[in-house]
Amino acid sequence: MLGLKLADLLGQPAASAYLRGVVRQGRFANAYLFHGPAGIGKMSAALAFARAILCERGAGASPNAPPSLFDAPAPKPNAAPADDACGECAACLKVAKLAHPDLKFLFPVSGEEKELEATIADTMTQLRENPFFVFRYEKAASIRLSITRELLRELAFKPYEATHRVVVVRDADRMREDQYSALLKSIEEPGAATVWILTTARPSRLPATIRSRCQKVRLAPLSEEQVRGVLEKELRVPAKQSRLLAALANGSLSRAIELNDSGDAVELRDKALALLEPALRGDPSGLWRTVQGYMNFGRTGRESLRRMIEFHELWLRDLLRARYGGADETLVTAIARPRSGARPRRSTPPRSAGG
Ligand SMILES: [Zn+2]
């Protein structure tokens, strides 16, 4: 969400409060590390922080800039110091369009080196135009050395418009050793005008030397209600579907969006739950046949097996919820509830939902 303010970060009260405190003081560390699971809004938080840093009415205000007739009226002198982007000044508008000259990005790219520029431009366009753009990359995607070098050369010059320059490095764990050394040198430079914001879902993959020089900001997984809220209000996903997606997403909005885009969550759920039927009937050979069918002679990919297990986990969660009096509308596998009497005969299984 590009027009975002720190005050509006979804589901991140602690990070939001901390970052606003930093902005209010107007003293920035050379580097911040935003970490937490994938798809919870680290990039949005980084952009909101960048915007607050570059805002003309806040820390980014250049003391030498002549007042312009066309500027919106300045805040009253007795107003509290700004702790967030104003959202209205020229700098804020430029950041919202990802067009501020002092805001730079590094992110992993896959594909041919000669197509790099086009790939990057294309990604930036999508990011600009779709507030719910989900970065997807191949396993081998990395932050390219050539792009990093070019950026580092630019950092030798003063920022163009603001007092600081902000570099957002998305998935900073996808760099090579020599890039980290160059990055480290830049982070350690005293009095540098650059504020680095690194994001990662895998902080342990970053060299300890980098981690120790960053101010760490932890972002939390979103609640199912928060994920559902975005799916229903912003993306017009029907409630029934959004409940299932939010339950599967494990606190990750991107994951919910991806599942929604792939469009087969409900079908997959029903397939996964059908696998349990013979087990519930206490029919081992039936179970064997069903599983063999699902495996399709080993042709079923790892990803779809993983998702199948996720559905089974959700089913178990539903059983527990139903067992302890959870409301029907909190259950996401409810339509495949086993009938009473369909329980395994032996052992002490959890009572079936609603049974
Ligand atoms: Zn502003």
Side-chain angles (χ1 to χ4, degrees):
M1 281 170 262
L2 302 181
L4 209 60
K5 293 187 182 188
L6 287 169
D8 302 332
L9 293 183
L10 180 68
Q12 309 296 345
S16 168
Y18 168 74
L19 292 170
R20 289 164 72 186
V22 170
V23 173
R24 194 181 307 117
Q25 289 180 357
R27 291 182 52 201
F28 302 102
N30 286 3
Y32 294 83
L33 179 62
F34 287 23
H35 63 101
I40 58 172
K42 296 188 293 296
M43 185 75 175
S44 300
L47 281 171
F49 187 39
R51 202 175 185 213
I53 294 172
L54 297 170
C55 175
E56 287 171 5
R57 298 191 194 153
S62 169
N64 310 322
S68 155
L69 275 178
F70 303 105
D71 279 347
K76 295 183 198 89
N78 61 351
D83 65 355
D84 208 338
C86 74
E88 293 164 357
C89 72
C92 281
L93 298 179
K94 283 180 203 168
V95 173
K97 285 185 267 177
L98 304 186
H100 197 295
D102 296 317
L103 174 62
K104 302 284 171 192
F105 294 95
L106 284 176
F107 49 84
V109 196
S110 43
E112 302 267 338
E113 186 77 17
K114 61 181 191 298
E115 289 161 8
L116 218 50
E117 258 178 56
T119 314
I120 289 172
D122 184 49
T123 309
M124 289 302 286
T125 307
Q126 296 193 60
L127 186 60
R128 199 175 287 129
E129 288 171 2
N130 175 6
F132 298 102
F133 173 65
V134 175
F135 277 78
R136 295 183 173 97
Y137 9 77
E138 293 162 20
K139 217 165 183 183
S142 63
I143 295 170
R144 297 301 176 86
L145 184 60
S146 56
I147 309 287
T148 314
R149 283 214 183 107
E150 204 180 298
L151 174 74
L152 289 169
R153 269 196 297 276
E154 215 177 305
L155 300 189
F157 302 98
K158 279 188 177 164
Y160 294 101
E161 294 177 4
T163 50
H164 294 85
R165 177 192 291 109
V166 182
V167 184
V168 176
V169 187
R170 196 194 150 87
D171 294 311
D173 50 278
R174 286 174 181 258
M175 276 188 172
R176 280 179 11 191
E177 209 49 54
D178 44 356
Q179 285 168 291
Y180 287 126
S181 328
L183 176 62
L184 192 60
K185 234 168 102 185
S186 174
I187 289 177
E188 287 185 320
E189 195 186 322
T194 301
V195 178
W196 292 85
I197 308 175
L198 279 48
T199 78
T200 181
R202 307 181 292 188
S204 62
R205 296 209 182 181
L206 286 169
T209 44
I210 300 266
R211 265 182 286 148
S212 66
R213 280 163 185 81
C214 292
Q215 202 65 47
K216 285 170 225 39
V217 181
R218 185 180 170 278
L219 285 97
L222 305 175
S223 70
E224 285 185 25
E225 285 69 30
Q226 284 159 346
V227 173
R228 279 187 65 184
V230 177
L231 291 176
E232 287 172 25
K233 282 193 209 94
E234 312 284 343
L235 300 166
R236 310 253 166 253
V237 177
K240 212 168 175 182
Q241 170 100 347
S242 79
R243 197 157 62 214
L244 175 62
L245 295 172
L248 282 170
N250 238 336
S252 164
L253 180 60
S254 312
R255 173 130 176 79
I257 292 173
E258 263 184 322
L259 284 167
N260 188 46
D261 290 349
S262 71
D264 53 2
V266 172
E267 189 189 323
L268 267 175
R269 174 196 63 187
D270 295 345
K271 241 172 142 178
L273 293 175
L275 274 176
L276 296 172
E277 283 288 331
L280 291 167
R281 280 201 312 271
D283 171 7
S285 56
L287 179 62
W288 171 253
R289 277 194 305 277
T290 314
V291 170
Q292 288 306 308
Y294 191 85
M295 296 299 290
N296 192 17
F297 303 102
R299 281 197 281 270
T300 301
R302 177 194 285 253
E303 175 65 10
S304 74
L305 290 176
R306 200 173 59 79
R307 282 166 77 178
M308 185 200 70
I309 292 169
E310 282 172 359
F311 281 109
H312 290 169
E313 285 172 351
L314 280 184
W315 180 74
L316 289 172
R317 191 185 80 168
D318 277 2
L319 281 183
L320 285 170
R321 280 194 177 166
R323 175 82 176 76
Y324 292 102
D328 262 16
E329 56 273 16
T330 65
L331 309 182
V332 291
T333 60
I335 68 162
R337 274 181 192 208
R339 292 174 304 278
S340 55
R343 281 175 240 146
R345 287 180 298 259
R346 276 166 295 162
S347 81
T348 51
R351 286 162 58 89
S352 62

